[in-house]
Amino acid sequence: MYKNQRNLMSEKVSSRKQQVRAEDVARHAGVSRVSVSRTFTPGASVSAATRAKVLKSAEILGYRVNRLASSLNRSESGIVALIAAEIDTPHRSAMIAELSDKLQAAGKVTMLINTSGYEERVKDALLQAISFRTEAAIILSGAPDPSLADTCFSNGMKLVLINREEDFPGSLQIGPDNRAAGKTALKALLRAGCKRIALANSANATWSILERQKGFVDAADEAGVEVLSEVGGLTSYQAGLELGTALLDREDRPDGIFCTTDLIACGVIDAARQRFGLRTPDDLSVIGFDDIAQAEWEGYDLTTFAQPTDQIIEKCLEWCTTEQPETETVKLPAKFVWRNSVQKARIPLK
Amino acid sequence: MYKNQRNLMSEKVSSRKQQVRAEDVARHAGVSRVSVSRTFTPGASVSAATRAKVLKSAEILGYRVNRLASSLNRSESGIVALIAAEIDTPHRSAMIAELSDKLQAAGKVTMLINTSGYEERVKDALLQAISFRTEAAIILSGAPDPSLADTCFSNGMKLVLINREEDFPGSLQIGPDNRAAGKTALKALLRAGCKRIALANSANATWSILERQKGFVDAADEAGVEVLSEVGGLTSYQAGLELGTALLDREDRPDGIFCTTDLIACGVIDAARQRFGLRTPDDLSVIGFDDIAQAEWEGYDLTTFAQPTDQIIEKCLEWCTTEQPETETVKLPAKFVWRNSVQKARIPLK
DNA sequence: ACACGTTGTGTACACGTGTACATAATATAG
DNA sequence: CTATATTATGTACACGTGTACACAACGTGT
């Protein structure tokens, strides 16, 4: 009798937020609380009559099952953490859009943790995820502190690193095959007949971006081609402008540039057009990476690599629903997207 | 005695995810469970000695307070829902980046709900937010079903509509003063000496965008100026390309275009440059709205309006932490950002 | 009519935490 | 050294839900 009443003794009742509970619905419908619970539990056994009564009362009272409470004894929160920096960047935001959409379709809920700024925030983000008993954490940027691995797993949390390869046991590490893409980029520039080949990269590149660079440079070494390399700035459009300006100012002006990112590539193309009066692909061939929306814009029409986003996400979801996953590293081929920023092949294919 | 053991009777123990509880830490540290709770509750009274023991044991066992559980009796989840569609759009993603960052700084956690696709998803998103006892829901796109208002408030949820003005009692409705901006845009084009003035807008514009259009057209009516109006497509770059092409193909080709969105403006500028060989601002003046990153790119250098993002967010947070907010509508002035897509004033100011 | 399987409901407990209250330990004042 | 004020710990209960178990109601077949 007493337990059914709420806050009888406390006078501070009014300051407390009132919530509608299963108890209230049960009383209103004239059934037991368990019947309410069962009504909203798929596969539970309730008669059609009581179910109807419960649903009606719930509608009237505005009742919704408290998933925070239900997570408690089901030990499945349904929450997945998305940890990322520079969320407003074209490629990153596209990734987040896709991920959140697919997670939602899979019945999960996404908790977005922004780690822009200090690198340290990734650690805090993971700790926060653990606090909310996130089923998994998908890390899009920043390297997590490996010492956290145990804490993650002792709380039954799955871990996915996208575009990172770190020493983080028990996690899925997935991303495009950056080296192969870098190699392909070089071949494409050679095939286009470029004589002076250059690389434009940011100074604070991530692991993934450095891999692209390495693939490109290694392939050049193999082919016995010299690479004019310009590195500086952030991974941004502005950096691209500056890198492009620096490269095109050289006496031995390059005629083919691989940019490790589409944003940089857009900057390079604009530097060429606005500052030097050069046009792609006639005067200059440019290749980017990511296939952001702007790559398709008519002013750029950028030849680039599309990240295998769909496959990455599919694998992510599969991993998140697997029981006891082992450490796994997956490299997926990036799709080369031919547009019109690279000179048509003067040297025939093959 | 029995209650301290876990899952003694069930044989399915192994399939259940083991979590570290305050109980475990207490036993390991040789203190009571309450002391553990107090250690992690700011302002609670624990001796330095026990606090140290607890912290050490927590570190060793990898313990983190379960915020799902603590939300139960504190009736504050600390979660705020962000409901938005087309997350990968420049302005939207910038907004989300800022919001999530500021929310985090305020000690809140953001739950991102993607409502791209069906309009109906906004309703589901709100219901989901309620299920997770979100402290507030910030709706960036889509009109919520007004019938949900009661359900929201009966669960103590705050509501913010950004860039929408709907009949949703008890909510904060906030955004830029779109009408005023439209008016300013017209004046700017007139002052630049434009003779044939046009408007480019998408066919599925939101309320906010329609307001800009209305402000622009009304001001034109007042000034006795005719507006060539082209409407079609989505609110996207591609639509801008088509709208721009259609406008510039006319016999009475416009020399000043107000685009209701920067994305559309970029499309219009590219149509002018790539398809008609026209340049801004010499041959054509263009004004956009949003001040997305690309507006600053050298290829566009777009004169536009910056949304008062900081103030919007500040007001949002203030609202979310207010006790019993009343319905409120806030219009903030959008800042006119002069760049170089509009002909320099031929008619002197004032 | 009886034994028996089916189905729906109720009871009791667990999930992991915070907090009011009572009580034990300690510091302070006389 | 005792009486008292202060502080730290322990006890009990509440938050809102899911589920194993017991049991009542209800046909069904002989």
Side-chain angles (χ1 to χ4, degrees):
Chain A
M1 171 63 92
Y2 159 74
K3 286 182 93 176
N4 289 350
Q5 313 286 335
R6 195 208 310 234
N7 292 321
L8 253 194
M9 13 224 349
S10 167
E11 286 304 317
K12 291 181 186 171
V13 170
S14 55
S15 82
R16 231 168 185 289
K17 274 179 210 147
Q18 283 292 1
Q19 297 200 356
V20 189
R21 307 159 303 166
E23 183 79 41
D24 303 324
V25 178
R27 199 172 328 159
H28 186 273
V31 299
S32 89
R33 187 187 62 75
V34 219
S35 297
V36 178
S37 177
R38 283 198 252 261
T39 299
F40 295 105
T41 304
S45 140
V46 219
S47 73
T50 46
R51 151 171 256 120
K53 280 194 288 185
V54 168
L55 286 179
K56 189 172 178 185
S57 298
E59 174 75 25
I60 293 173
L61 299 180
Y63 171 74
R64 294 245 93 203
V65 176
N66 184 335
R67 291 200 56 177
L68 300 180
S70 74
S71 307
L72 260 188
N73 51 7
R74 296 200 316 132
S75 74
E76 277 182 9
S77 64
I79 310 178
V80 172
L82 237 57
I83 301 177
E86 284 146 25
I87 295 178
D88 51 349
T89 265
H91 172 60
R92 205 61 65 73
S93 66
M95 198 74 188
I96 291 173
E98 287 265 7
L99 267 170
S100 61
D101 196 54
K102 295 283 165 37
L103 282 172
Q104 205 154 344
K108 304 300 180 192
V109 161
T110 96
M111 165 179 285
L112 180 65
I113 310 183
N114 188 340
T115 58
S116 286
Y118 315 87
E119 191 72 4
E120 180 69 10
R121 286 180 73 174
V122 178
K123 180 176 179 181
D124 293 339
L126 262 180
L127 291 177
Q128 189 184 90
I130 295 174
S131 280
F132 279 92
R133 296 305 187 265
T134 287
E135 293 182 9
I138 302 177
I139 301 182
L140 292 173
S141 44
D145 191 335
S147 71
L148 282 176
D150 289 338
T151 311
C152 287
F153 301 131
S154 68
N155 288 86
M157 202 169 91
K158 314 266 179 33
L159 218 62
V160 178
L161 305 182
I162 294 188
N163 264 341
R164 310 273 142 170
E165 209 155 289
E166 308 282 345
D167 184 26
F168 216 91
S171 65
L172 167 64
Q173 314 195 353
I174 192 168
D177 189 341
N178 291 290
R179 295 237 187 171
K183 195 168 280 189
T184 304
L186 182 91
K187 280 188 196 156
L189 290 180
L190 286 180
R191 220 183 275 139
C194 296
K195 296 301 177 196
R196 285 173 306 283
I197 286 178
L199 171 86
N201 196 4
S202 88
N204 77 334
T206 61
W207 175 86
S208 170
I209 292 180
L210 288 174
E211 286 285 298
R212 286 167 215 165
Q213 168 174 336
K214 205 153 193 336
F216 187 77
V217 171
D218 285 356
D221 283 350
E222 275 179 34
V225 176
E226 191 199 3
V227 170
L228 313 174
S229 182
E230 193 74 37
V231 174
L234 305 175
T235 310
S236 66
Y237 169 85
Q238 275 74 20
L241 269 181
E242 289 163 24
L243 293 170
T245 305
L247 281 171
L248 298 172
D249 248 346
R250 298 174 66 125
E251 288 214 350
D252 51 346
R253 172 183 291 176
D255 57 355
I257 306 179
F258 175 47
C259 307
T260 52
T261 279
D262 277 359
L263 276 181
I264 294 179
C266 288
V268 166
I269 290 179
D270 272 353
R273 177 172 45 192
Q274 308 289 130
R275 298 182 177 181
F276 294 88
L278 303 173
R279 310 291 304 252
T280 51
D282 306 319
D283 310 314
L284 177 70
S285 290
V286 174
I287 298 181
F289 196 104
D290 278 345
D291 194 25
I292 64 178
Q294 287 75 27
E296 210 184 354
W297 287 15
E298 246 175 58
Y300 301 103
D301 208 5
L302 181 65
T303 294
T304 184
F305 293 86
Q307 298 224 17
T309 315
D310 289 342
Q311 299 168 59
I312 289 178
I313 291 175
E314 192 182 348
K315 180 75 187 168
C316 266
L317 291 183
E318 188 190 319
W319 172 270
C320 290
T321 52
T322 302
E323 196 51 44
Q324 293 267 77
E326 298 270 322
T327 308
E328 191 176 351
T329 302
V330 178
K331 268 194 188 27
L332 298 165
K335 190 183 159 205
F336 199 21
V337 181
W338 272 103
R339 291 208 183 87
N340 199 30
S341 67
V342 173
Q343 188 67 260
K344 294 264 183 301
R346 292 176 183 141
I347 300 169
L349 292 172
K350 203 42 171 302
Chain B
M1 171 61 96
Y2 158 75
K3 284 183 95 178
N4 290 351
Q5 314 285 335
R6 198 208 308 235
N7 291 322
L8 253 194
M9 14 226 346
S10 167
E11 287 302 319
K12 292 181 185 171
V13 170
S14 55
S15 81
R16 232 167 184 288
K17 274 179 211 149
Q18 283 291 2
Q19 298 200 355
V20 188
R21 306 160 305 165
E23 183 80 44
D24 303 324
V25 178
R27 200 172 327 162
H28 186 271
V31 299
S32 89
R33 185 186 64 75
V34 218
S35 298
V36 179
S37 176
R38 282 197 252 262
T39 301
F40 295 105
T41 303
S45 141
V46 218
S47 73
T50 47
R51 150 170 257 122
K53 280 194 288 185
V54 167
L55 286 178
K56 188 171 179 186
S57 298
E59 174 77 27
I60 293 173
L61 299 180
Y63 171 74
R64 295 246 93 203
V65 176
N66 184 337
R67 291 200 56 179
L68 299 181
S70 75
S71 307
L72 261 189
N73 53 5
R74 296 201 317 131
S75 74
E76 278 183 10
S77 64
I79 311 179
V80 172
L82 239 56
I83 302 178
E86 284 146 26
I87 297 178
D88 50 349
T89 266
H91 171 60
R92 203 62 62 75
S93 66
M95 198 76 188
I96 290 173
E98 287 265 8
L99 267 170
S100 61
D101 196 55
K102 296 284 165 36
L103 281 172
Q104 205 155 344
K108 304 301 180 189
V109 160
T110 95
M111 163 178 286
L112 181 64
I113 311 184
N114 187 340
T115 57
S116 286
Y118 314 86
E119 191 72 3
E120 181 67 11
R121 286 180 74 174
V122 177
K123 180 175 179 181
D124 293 339
L126 261 181
L127 291 177
Q128 189 185 89
I130 295 174
S131 280
F132 279 92
R133 294 306 185 266
T134 288
E135 293 182 8
I138 302 176
I139 300 182
L140 292 173
S141 43
D145 190 335
S147 71
L148 281 175
D150 289 338
T151 311
C152 286
F153 300 131
S154 68
N155 288 85
M157 202 169 93
K158 312 267 180 32
L159 217 62
V160 178
L161 304 183
I162 295 187
N163 263 342
R164 310 273 143 170
E165 209 155 289
E166 309 280 345
D167 184 26
F168 216 90
S171 65
L172 167 65
Q173 314 196 354
I174 192 170
D177 189 340
N178 291 290
R179 294 237 188 171
K183 195 167 280 190
T184 304
L186 182 91
K187 281 186 197 158
L189 290 181
L190 287 180
R191 220 182 275 138
C194 296
K195 296 301 177 196
R196 284 173 306 284
I197 287 180
L199 170 86
N201 196 5
S202 87
N204 77 332
T206 61
W207 175 85
S208 170
I209 291 179
L210 287 174
E211 286 285 299
R212 286 167 215 164
Q213 169 175 334
K214 205 154 191 340
F216 187 77
V217 171
D218 284 356
D221 284 349
E222 275 179 34
V225 176
E226 192 200 4
V227 171
L228 314 175
S229 180
E230 194 75 36
V231 174
L234 304 175
T235 310
S236 66
Y237 170 85
Q238 275 74 21
L241 270 181
E242 289 162 24
L243 293 170
T245 305
L247 282 171
L248 298 173
D249 247 348
R250 298 174 65 124
E251 287 213 350
D252 51 344
R253 173 184 288 176
D255 57 355
I257 306 181
F258 174 47
C259 307
T260 51
T261 281
D262 277 0
L263 276 181
I264 294 179
C266 287
V268 166
I269 291 179
D270 272 353
R273 176 171 47 195
Q274 308 292 128
R275 298 182 177 180
F276 294 87
L278 303 174
R279 309 291 303 254
T280 51
D282 305 319
D283 311 312
L284 178 69
S285 290
V286 174
I287 299 181
F289 197 103
D290 279 343
D291 195 25
I292 63 179
Q294 287 73 29
E296 210 184 354
W297 287 15
E298 245 175 59
Y300 301 103
D301 209 6
L302 181 64
T303 294
T304 184
F305 293 87
Q307 299 223 16
T309 315
D310 288 343
Q311 299 169 58
I312 289 178
I313 291 175
E314 193 181 345
K315 180 73 186 171
C316 266
L317 291 182
E318 187 190 319
W319 173 270
C320 290
T321 52
T322 302
E323 196 53 45
Q324 292 267 77
E326 298 272 321
T327 309
E328 193 177 349
T329 303
V330 178
K331 269 195 188 23
L332 299 165
K335 190 182 158 205
F336 198 22
V337 181
W338 273 102
R339 290 209 183 87
N340 199 30
S341 67
V342 173
Q343 188 69 261
K344 292 265 185 299
R346 291 174 182 144
I347 300 170
L349 291 173
K350 205 42 176 301

